[in-house]
Amino acid sequence: MYTFSNKLKTFAFVLMALGLLGIAYGFLTAPKTTADVEKILAESHHDGHHAAAPAHDAHAVAAPAEAHHEAPKTETHEAVANDTVNTVEKDTMKAEVAPVVEENHHDAHAAKADTHEADAHKEHEAHLEHVLHQLQNKPWAAMYVACIFFLLISVGVLTFYAIQWAAQAGWSPVLFRVMEGITAYLLPGSIIFFLLLVLSGMHMNHLFTWMAEGVTDPKSENYDAIIAGKSGFLNVPFFLIRALVFLAGWNIYRYFSRKNSLAQDNASDDSFYKKNFKIAAAFLAFFIVSESIASWDWIMSVDPHWYSTLFGWYVFASFFVSGITTIAFVTLYLKSKGYLEYVNTSHIHDLAKFMFGISVFWTYLWFSQFMLMWYSNIPEEVTYFVTRIENYNLPFFGMVVMNFVLPILILINTDFKRLTWIVVMAGIIILTGHYIDFFNMIMPATVGDQWFIGVSEISSLLFFFGLFIFVVFTALTKAPLLAKRNPLIEESKHFHY
Amino acid sequence: MSTNKVIHAIYTDDDILMDAVKASRAAHHHIEEIYTPFPVHGLDKAMGLAPTRIAIASFLYGVVGLTVAANLLNYIMIVDWPQDIGGKPSFAFYQNLPAFVPVLFELTVFFAAHLMVITFYLRSKLWPFKQAENPDVRTTDDHFLMEVAVSGNEEEMISFFKNTGAVEVKVIDKH
């Protein structure tokens, strides 16, 4: 049996406490009114973002705000909307990547140049309103990203676990209890996540623009024909019901597979093993459908004007590789503490191979999505990448380096895959990279170019990390770390590659 | 003693062969070669053969392939005749990079795979019309043959290999 070390427990509590403090700080310091926003913008201008003369500055801010004001009913709405702030510094680098936005911007610029003095004030107000929403979204989005990231890690582990059962893998049964421990986070994780979704549905935040009031009402100022056309799918009650069904389905599988796995320890035949085999197969069928829809709901719908067909797979690959990395981490930790007698370097080697392979798979999907849209360059879908390349250049391309280039170079060597410190190093890179991946999926649509990895983001990450450690290692103390009567356990104990 | 004499010990089971290999190594008999009808797991380790470096070679070939593809595309599409083809930006290599990636990938794999196979053929001395080096036709079917250099007492060695479970032990004059 595993005993939860006091040091680790304290560490988890410290992380949670620090995280909560930081989250609270993030919410308290979010601007309440447009006046606050004006102050923030003025400060950031003085910080050297805009070294230009004040007159030029005002002009530059006003002009794109006009573009934004006129655009809401067009399809390039998002691209323009995300581009309303700090346009001055972006002007120079924009030309290469975003011809569409560039033209819009300049048209607006030129056409309104004479008359903009009169409208400037109104436009400025609209702009402030826009930035206010982005800044108010920041602590929410930070929490949302961290929450979904850890939730999906446990879902990724659960999928891996189900695959091991369904495939009757001979190497992994010694790791089943580790995986079951990690998936214990699924229940608390999905409760918190569902609450976040409910709060969004109750208009506590603006994470999902399609939830805003009036978007489906033709008489409203907020009316958006495109979103209205999707309201058969994207409406709050249906959205919450779907989320509930998916989360419940995953949790139910987790509950029963764990129960059967423990029952198999004391059974006299293999009936629980067979049951687990069957429900694993059923879960995988349910999972691939639910995961695909969940990724449209929870991630793609923050950009309700945009769609991508392979998005479900892309999201899956991202959290699947994170889940496998987490298994490797927990296994290496427990092994180093002497709790996993039968885990040898071959098991680690296999996990590292999965980390390597799925990293490449993720990259394949990332690139397929990016390249198809980049190549055809259809305005209504390419805006997604335009905003990311413009405003999130370093995270967007940095994550490709972290999730592909570094893992492929580090983990390609067979001997390296057996070394603890190499696997840990590669794992840290992969997990960080996939956090940034989720950051890149959520942030551009919710906070736009107001993003920053600061107190809110890091605190949310710390809080959920602490909670994750606490839940996972508590669950690990609940059962022996080696499954007893699994028919494949002997093979797994002697597994050598 | 004569150095061109070898013992051919023939086995019918790979487990017995493995034990015989370990015993021979322990008795410091020099194993020249082992002929088997199929790959025997762990035989190379038991014989003490050095691990292969073909994966390293393959990685390097892949790097060569990537370099060739990158230079090829850069020269053709960017340097030599940077045409506007359907609005794709051909001002610099990185600007049109996504369109090149499929070629970069395929050529990397092509070089890594083919050059590795050719390396394998060269290092194993395999080619069409190559004279087969099979000392006993049964080794391609169901027999295992261990070839050991004769040194010291020949009779002692023969009885040693008979004791390892060999179904047949022959002394052959090699030229």
Side-chain angles (χ1 to χ4, degrees):
Chain A
M1 294 290 276
Y2 169 70
T3 42
F4 198 164
S5 85
N6 270 326
K7 256 192 211 162
L8 192 62
K9 200 180 270 181
T10 318
F11 178 62
F13 282 128
V14 168
L15 285 180
M16 278 192 270
L18 278 178
L20 276 180
L21 280 177
I23 291 172
Y25 172 81
F27 277 103
L28 291 175
T29 52
K32 307 275 176 305
T33 61
T34 47
D36 296 342
V37 175
E38 197 143 26
K39 221 182 286 169
I40 293 170
L41 286 182
E43 269 170 32
S44 73
H45 288 195
H46 285 297
D47 283 349
H49 269 303
H50 302 267
H56 173 63
D57 207 15
H59 171 84
V61 172
E66 280 165 37
H68 168 50
H69 196 67
E70 291 174 346
K73 275 149 202 153
T74 73
E75 294 187 335
T76 49
H77 165 57
E78 295 216 348
V80 184
N82 276 303
D83 194 39
T84 47
V85 193
N86 295 347
T87 1
V88 175
E89 61 174 298
K90 298 280 156 54
D91 261 350
T92 47
M93 50 186 278
K94 211 164 41 176
E96 299 156 2
V97 275
V100 180
V101 177
E102 178 73 343
E103 271 166 33
N104 259 348
H105 171 58
H106 273 306
D107 287 351
H109 208 83
K112 297 282 171 173
D114 319 324
T115 54
H116 89 276
E117 295 292 340
D119 296 328
H121 183 66
K122 210 177 95 198
E123 308 303 352
H124 186 56
E125 284 302 311
H127 169 60
L128 288 178
E129 184 79 12
H130 179 67
V131 178
L132 174 66
H133 281 179
Q134 292 184 329
L135 288 175
Q136 282 179 334
N137 260 344
K138 245 192 102 201
W140 283 101
M143 199 147 84
Y144 188 80
V145 172
C147 184
I148 199 171
F149 180 61
F150 280 98
L151 170 71
L152 290 182
I153 281 182
S154 68
V155 175
V157 175
L158 189 70
T159 322
F160 190 74
Y161 176 72
I163 291 172
Q164 300 305 309
W165 274 99
Q168 302 179 25
W171 67 277
S172 52
V174 289
L175 301 174
F176 276 180
R177 289 292 147 80
V178 175
M179 297 182 208
E180 286 164 15
I182 299 171
T183 55
Y185 179 78
L186 185 60
L187 185 62
S190 32
I191 291 170
I192 298 174
F193 182 70
F194 188 71
L195 282 179
L196 267 180
L197 294 185
V198 171
L199 291 178
S200 303
M202 287 162 64
H203 306 296
M204 301 287 285
N205 55 52
H206 303 95
L207 287 183
F208 299 91
T209 47
W210 58 268
M211 283 178 179
E213 275 167 79
V215 280
T216 56
D217 178 9
K219 292 183 196 71
S220 166
E221 239 187 45
N222 283 336
Y223 181 64
D224 186 322
I226 294 171
I227 293 178
K230 296 181 179 183
S231 61
F233 187 76
L234 287 182
N235 59 76
V236 175
F238 191 28
F239 175 80
L240 291 180
I241 291 169
R242 278 196 307 267
L244 201 59
V245 169
F246 300 156
L247 292 172
W250 303 345
N251 275 291
I252 288 169
Y253 167 68
R254 196 268 160 189
Y255 174 78
F256 282 106
S257 67
R258 164 78 163 178
K259 205 176 138 195
N260 289 339
S261 170
L262 292 180
Q264 178 67 27
D265 270 8
N266 305 314
S268 53
D269 59 2
D270 288 341
S271 61
F272 289 108
Y273 171 81
K274 285 177 190 160
K275 259 185 213 166
N276 249 5
F277 172 77
K278 282 179 199 158
I279 61 171
F283 165 74
L284 287 172
F286 170 74
F287 174 77
I288 201 59
V289 177
S290 54
E291 188 275 333
S292 193
I293 302 173
S295 69
W296 309 337
D297 277 355
W298 303 340
I299 299 175
M300 201 158 80
S301 86
V302 294
D303 283 294
H305 284 196
W306 180 78
Y307 44 85
S308 163
T309 44
L310 61 68
F311 197 71
W313 276 107
Y314 169 65
V315 173
F316 170 70
S318 185
F319 70 73
F320 194 49
V321 69
S322 309
I324 295 166
T325 307
T326 310
I327 298 173
F329 272 9
V330 178
T331 307
L332 285 172
Y333 172 79
L334 292 173
K335 177 86 185 150
S336 75
K337 298 284 170 194
Y339 284 107
L340 295 171
E341 190 187 341
Y342 291 102
V343 172
N344 54 44
T345 51
S346 293
H347 294 105
I348 304 301
H349 184 238
D350 261 29
L351 284 172
K353 263 194 287 188
F354 270 107
M355 283 160 62
F356 174 81
I358 309 293
S359 283
V360 176
F361 178 61
W362 172 88
T363 316
Y364 167 63
L365 294 175
W366 173 82
F367 181 71
S368 300
Q369 182 171 274
F370 171 68
M371 193 263 245
L372 282 181
M373 294 193 174
W374 172 87
Y375 209 108
S376 57
N377 204 20
I378 302 171
E380 67 188 65
E381 56 181 27
V382 86
T383 53
Y384 184 83
F385 290 110
V386 170
T387 54
R388 276 156 183 80
I389 291 173
E390 273 188 24
N391 299 332
Y392 291 72
N393 200 288
L394 183 64
F396 187 69
F397 290 112
M399 85 176 171
V400 181
V401 174
M402 295 178 79
N403 294 339
F404 174 62
V405 181
L406 297 179
I408 205 177
L409 291 178
I410 296 170
L411 291 177
I412 200 167
N413 188 314
T414 301
D415 299 327
F416 283 6
K417 285 196 275 265
R418 293 166 177 273
L419 297 177
T420 304
W421 70 274
I422 295 262
V423 175
V424 168
M425 195 176 75
I428 289 171
I429 293 171
I430 290 175
L431 283 180
T432 317
H434 285 283
Y435 170 75
I436 297 174
D437 186 12
F438 278 92
F439 189 85
N440 270 321
M441 288 194 260
I442 303 290
M443 289 298 179
T446 50
V447 304
D449 52 10
Q450 297 297 317
W451 72 276
F452 187 68
I453 299 191
V455 176
S456 287
E457 288 74 10
I458 292 170
S459 306
S460 303
L461 208 53
L462 290 185
F463 172 74
F464 284 104
F465 184 43
L467 184 68
F468 187 81
I469 291 178
F470 179 70
V471 172
V472 168
F473 285 89
T474 307
L476 285 170
T477 61
K478 300 278 168 65
L481 286 178
L482 184 68
K484 248 177 269 159
R485 276 199 80 260
N486 189 305
L488 296 163
I489 198 78
E490 279 307 315
E491 180 183 344
S492 179
K493 278 182 194 172
H494 300 111
F495 171 70
H496 263 282
Y497 167 74
Chain B
M1 298 299 284
S2 65
T3 50
N4 55 351
K5 263 190 173 177
V6 291
I7 287 178
H8 280 180
I10 297 178
Y11 303 86
T12 50
D13 189 292
D14 47 341
D15 281 339
I16 299 171
L17 173 75
M18 286 290 279
D19 292 338
V21 169
K22 281 168 198 158
S24 313
R25 295 252 300 161
H28 299 293
H29 293 303
H30 178 69
I31 300 172
E32 302 254 315
E33 199 65 80
I34 295 182
Y35 298 88
T36 66
F38 52 78
V40 177
H41 261 285
L43 187 60
D44 51 341
K45 279 213 181 87
M47 287 170 72
L49 297 181
T52 172
R53 292 167 298 179
I54 202 155
I56 298 167
S58 180
F59 181 83
L60 295 176
Y61 296 147
V63 173
V64 171
L66 189 64
T67 315
V68 167
N71 283 297
L72 183 77
L73 288 165
N74 185 49
Y75 178 70
I76 296 172
M77 301 301 290
I78 310 295
V79 178
D80 191 34
W81 195 1
Q83 265 200 119
D84 180 342
I85 304 167
K88 286 281 160 281
S90 48
F91 309 108
F93 184 72
Y94 76 92
Q95 283 186 323
N96 212 0
L97 181 61
F100 300 155
V101 166
V103 183
L104 295 175
F105 170 76
E106 293 294 349
L107 278 186
T108 306
V109 174
F110 179 86
F111 272 66
H114 288 83
L115 292 181
M116 176 176 77
V117 168
I118 293 168
T119 306
F120 169 73
Y121 285 154
L122 291 176
R123 294 289 289 149
S124 322
K125 302 191 176 67
L126 279 177
W127 57 85
F129 311 114
K130 148 119 180 165
Q131 197 67 40
E133 296 169 1
N134 192 357
D136 192 316
V137 285
R138 291 171 299 172
T139 59
T140 63
D141 186 8
D142 60 352
H143 282 61
F144 304 80
L145 188 150
M146 179 158 70
E147 190 177 286
V148 186
V150 173
S151 60
N153 192 328
E154 198 179 303
E155 293 305 314
E156 234 171 66
M157 282 186 77
I158 291 172
S159 68
F160 172 84
F161 284 107
K162 283 234 161 92
N163 284 334
T164 57
V167 292
E168 216 179 296
V169 178
K170 291 185 290 190
V171 181
I172 305 279
D173 243 330
K174 253 198 160 181
H175 311 291

